[in-house]
Amino acid sequence: MPWNRVLAASAGPADAASALGPWYPQEFQAECVETIPESVDMMTFVFRRTDGAPFAFRAGQYINVEVPVNGSDADPVSRSYSLSSAPTVPWTFAITVKRDEAGLVSPWMHDSVRPGTVLEMLGPVGAFHLPDYDRRARFLFLAAGSGITPLMSMIRTIHSLPGQADAILLYHGAAPDRFAFADELAFLSRADFRIRVVYALGDRTPPGDWHGAVGRISADLIDAVAPDANGRQVYACGPQGYLDAATACLPRVGVDDTSVYVEYFSGSSVTLREYAEEIAVAEEFAASADEISDQPVVLDLYEGERDGGEAATDVPTVAVHAEAEVPAPPEVPAAALDLRELASPGEDAAFDTVGSGALTLCFVRSRLNVRIDPEANILATAREAGIRIGANCQVGMCGSCKVVRLEGEVEMNHQGGIRAREIEAGKFLPCCSTARSDLVIDA
């Protein structure tokens, strides 16, 4: 069996144990071993590591997947997908992807990934997960749309372990046939007295045979589902509008902020506008570039239902984490523009200079020099100067702010949002970086 090879290759018990430690993300290849339809537009892909090693993670974390949507000769496109399987069975793991016909990656995944497909991955990543140890394991899970995926990992984990856990899931969906994992959730709620599942259709008109709840997320709905919510740890995942409404009404049922854990699967309206602006600017430089690719915004980040339902505000919801996809600027062919010839750091550059500080950030596409102090965050400083760099998590997890450093040195403290070979190629995450010298940046 594969784990025999892992343990036999380990120098001792400590090394064998480290193979199961989910503390740091690793780069590895994984082979698809099964595909499972979950709903009309969601598919689960089960993988195993090709090196035979177990894959350890915490329930709720995600992985970054490189997808060769443009063929084996082109650079792959990276996406972040929440793990929907339980870490208690580490020899295989699963992600669940919602198909977005307007997206680049999710249709390819649904159409092309089959048993035998091998993909490169990085993980596990993410601070949204169950506690490693909890004496009072009482949870309230709030999910909307594809936000069910990390919560499904948590529910499966609770079911697979002994103990006196108490978990309630309130799951909002667009239609009765849009609830993923419906058969399994029905089984778990019958077979495990510790798990209770409540479905809700938002403010849509329910069909005649509907027996679940109706209404958007609200304090009254939460109180009806979990009257003791103020004694539970709350894990919520879904589109921004849904989560904004959830976090606004949780204090009204006595839930303190310290008991709420949120995974946003859609960018803010500001982020979305920035992405749209990036596309327009990039097209000026590369009108003939390949089809614009979608960029994951992690945290993640799944697609919300645009026609209302679980969205409780007018904030637009777009795919972000797992199967969520939002537009990002296209790569500009190297031959199209020699960026290094446009400017060099310092006051002598041909660009305007703003700000104050000991160092200079030269943004060659934006044609602007920005002065910065060595301890200042690069992304924050760039945004203050009006530089368009899309970002979501802003803690080095999702990789959505990735840019190319043409010259200079940075200090980066990321959380798995960038691969080693990308760093070697000059890419970095400005959201978690400071400047160690003058920089020339492709942005």
Side-chain angles (χ1 to χ4, degrees):
M1 301 301 290
W3 52 86
N4 292 333
R5 297 198 300 273
V6 175
L7 301 183
S10 302
D15 290 333
S18 67
L20 292 167
W23 310 112
Y24 302 102
Q26 299 177 343
E27 294 185 32
F28 59 93
Q29 288 187 328
E31 177 188 7
C32 178
V33 296
E34 186 180 9
T35 60
I36 306 170
E38 299 292 355
S39 68
V40 294
D41 56 358
M42 294 182 68
M43 178 81 74
T44 289
F45 301 92
V46 183
F47 292 90
R48 68 168 184 87
R49 290 179 58 142
T50 57
D51 58 8
F55 179 57
F57 61 95
R58 294 180 173 94
Q61 289 188 300
Y62 63 91
I63 57 174
N64 186 271
V65 182
E66 289 204 338
V67 187
V69 293
N70 298 314
S72 58
D73 295 333
D75 290 337
V77 178
S78 296
R79 289 291 181 271
S80 294
Y81 292 100
S82 284
L83 292 147
S84 54
S85 55
T88 50
V89 186
W91 309 110
T92 62
F93 60 94
I95 59 176
T96 302
V97 179
K98 180 174 181 177
R99 185 180 188 117
D100 176 7
E101 294 298 346
L104 174 66
V105 173
S106 61
W108 188 93
M109 292 283 290
H110 277 241
D111 295 338
S112 304
V113 176
R114 295 293 182 268
T117 302
V118 176
L119 299 174
E120 293 194 11
M121 300 185 179
L122 168 69
V125 188
F128 181 78
H129 57 74
L130 289 179
D132 294 325
Y133 179 78
D134 191 348
R135 287 181 176 272
R136 300 180 67 243
R138 302 177 66 243
F139 306 107
L140 171 61
F141 299 127
L142 304 177
S146 303
I148 186 61
T149 51
L151 303 183
M152 193 65 194
S153 177
M154 298 180 184
I155 292 171
R156 285 169 164 164
T157 301
I158 291 170
H159 175 66
S160 65
L161 296 174
Q164 297 301 312
D166 183 348
I168 298 174
L169 168 65
L170 174 58
Y171 183 6
H172 273 81
D177 64 349
R178 301 288 290 277
F179 290 98
F181 313 106
D183 291 340
E184 183 177 355
L185 287 171
F187 166 78
L188 292 176
S189 62
R190 292 194 304 267
D192 195 331
F193 69 92
R194 302 172 299 172
I195 298 171
R196 184 159 66 93
V197 179
V198 178
Y199 297 98
L201 284 181
D203 58 1
R204 295 171 174 79
T205 302
D209 57 350
W210 178 250
H211 301 292
V214 177
R216 297 183 177 185
I217 189 73
S218 65
D220 289 340
L221 180 56
I222 293 175
D223 189 51
V225 170
D228 58 347
N230 63 344
R232 297 176 180 270
Q233 295 183 68
V234 180
Y235 287 82
C237 188
Q240 180 180 332
Y242 173 86
L243 293 179
D244 287 347
T247 54
C249 65
L250 282 169
R252 295 170 54 191
V253 293
V255 179
D256 186 81
D257 287 346
T258 59
S259 298
V260 180
Y261 307 88
V262 175
E263 180 91 299
Y264 280 90
F265 277 14
S266 60
S268 67
S269 56
V270 173
T271 301
L272 300 178
R273 285 196 299 270
E274 288 178 350
Y275 273 110
E277 291 170 355
E278 285 181 19
I279 294 171
V281 172
E283 286 177 339
E284 294 178 5
F285 288 98
S288 61
D290 293 336
E291 179 182 357
I292 294 175
S293 61
D294 303 314
Q295 177 72 30
V297 184
V298 157
L299 273 151
D300 94 116
L301 325 204
Y302 291 77
E303 183 183 22
E305 304 301 334
R306 301 190 184 209
D307 54 344
E310 67 273 52
T313 70
D314 291 331
V315 178
T317 57
V318 178
V320 239
H321 189 34
E323 47 286 334
E325 301 164 5
V326 298
E331 294 290 337
V332 177
L337 189 63
D338 188 348
L339 297 173
R340 288 180 176 83
E341 294 181 356
L342 288 180
S344 59
E347 299 295 346
D348 295 332
F351 304 155
D352 292 337
T353 299
V354 299
S356 61
L359 301 174
T360 299
L361 308 179
C362 177
F363 294 95
V364 292
R365 292 184 184 274
S366 301
R367 306 185 68 82
L368 185 68
N369 289 328
V370 180
R371 303 290 294 179
I372 187 173
D373 290 322
E375 69 275 8
N377 178 272
I378 292 177
L379 177 64
T381 302
R383 285 186 159 184
E384 288 177 2
I387 304 297
R388 302 179 180 93
I389 300 178
N392 193 72
C393 77
Q394 301 188 40
V395 292
M397 291 169 57
C398 68
S400 61
C401 65
K402 198 176 301 174
V403 294
V404 175
R405 169 181 50 83
L406 299 173
E407 293 181 10
E409 299 297 328
V410 300
E411 180 173 341
M412 179 169 53
N413 297 299
H414 68 91
Q415 299 187 45
I418 188 170
R419 286 175 163 78
R421 64 175 177 273
E422 293 177 312
I423 297 175
E424 293 175 359
K427 296 181 180 180
F428 77 103
L429 303 177
C431 71
C432 57
S433 298
T434 54
R436 298 178 61 183
S437 69
D438 291 339
L439 298 174
V440 178
I441 300 172
D442 181 7

